[in-house]
Structure formats: C-alpha cells, structure tokens
C-alpha cells in the first residue's frame, strides 16, 4: 500500500504526491482507503481523490532506487534475439 508523501503517476494526468489517506465508502457502500493526490504542474494546483485500488496509479521510484537498478545492470546477462519481428 502506498503512503502519505509517496509520489505516483496517475494515468495520463501526470505525477502527483499523496497528501492524505481517507476512509470513504465505495460504490458497494464499503469503507475503503482513498488517496488525496496533489500536483502543482505548470503553476496550477490540482487535487484528485481516487480509490486506493485504482489500477492507473503507479508508484514513482526514488532517485536512489533508480541508481541501484542502473548499477545492477553491469551484472545482468544480455539476452539477444535475432528475430526482427
């Protein structure tokens, strides 16, 4: 589960920061977690409320995580596929 201050990509809308997690009812009248997302892209403040199980949310990796993956690439085996299709 994501937490407050995590950054996420919200579909095609861009990068947002989770600023709050709320308990709200979903369409089945069950209480579930909802994320309050915030972005200040191009100087425009945007807040979005979305269910925590929204499949369009993707966590953004930190700089440290990205650098670790890049560092591990030197140890990875290269698999070549001659099929040009």
């Amino acid at each position: 589960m994501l937490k407050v201050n995590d950054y996420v990509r919200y579909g095609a809308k861009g990068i947002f920061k989770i600023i709050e997690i709320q308990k709200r009812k979903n369409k089945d009248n069950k209480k579930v977690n909802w994320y309050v997302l915030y972005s200040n892209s191009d100087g425009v403040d945007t807040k979005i409320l979305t269910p925590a199980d929204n499949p369009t949310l993707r966590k953004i990796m930190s700089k440290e995580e990205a650098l670790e993956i890049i560092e591990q690439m030197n140890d990875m085996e290269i698999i070549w596929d001659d099929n040009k299709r």
Side-chain angles (χ1 to χ4, degrees):
M1 181 169 146
L2 299 167
K3 55 189 182 303
V4 172
N5 293 324
D6 280 349
Y7 285 89
V8 294
R9 181 182 60 85
Y10 180 65
K13 300 216 182 280
I15 305 299
F16 289 80
K17 181 178 184 178
I18 298 174
I19 59 170
E20 187 179 349
I21 300 174
Q22 301 177 354
K23 285 276 191 192
R24 291 179 170 240
K25 292 182 180 179
N26 64 6
K27 62 184 176 187
D28 300 325
N29 216 23
K30 294 180 185 176
K31 281 215 165 196
V32 296
N33 286 333
W34 289 68
Y35 295 136
V36 180
L37 308 177
Y38 172 79
S39 175
N40 186 333
S41 180
D42 299 325
V44 177
D45 289 335
T46 304
K47 278 189 181 177
I48 294 177
L49 181 67
T50 186
D53 63 354
N54 184 332
T56 65
L57 289 176
R58 299 280 187 258
K59 184 176 180 191
I60 302 298
M61 71 175 65
S62 69
K63 178 181 178 179
E64 292 78 22
E65 291 170 321
L67 291 173
E68 184 178 323
I69 289 172
I70 291 169
E71 194 172 297
Q72 291 173 1
M73 287 180 171
N74 291 331
D75 300 328
M76 292 181 182
E77 179 184 352
I78 298 173
I79 299 174
W80 190 262
D81 186 359
D82 287 327
N83 185 347
K84 296 185 185 210
R85 291 186 185 184

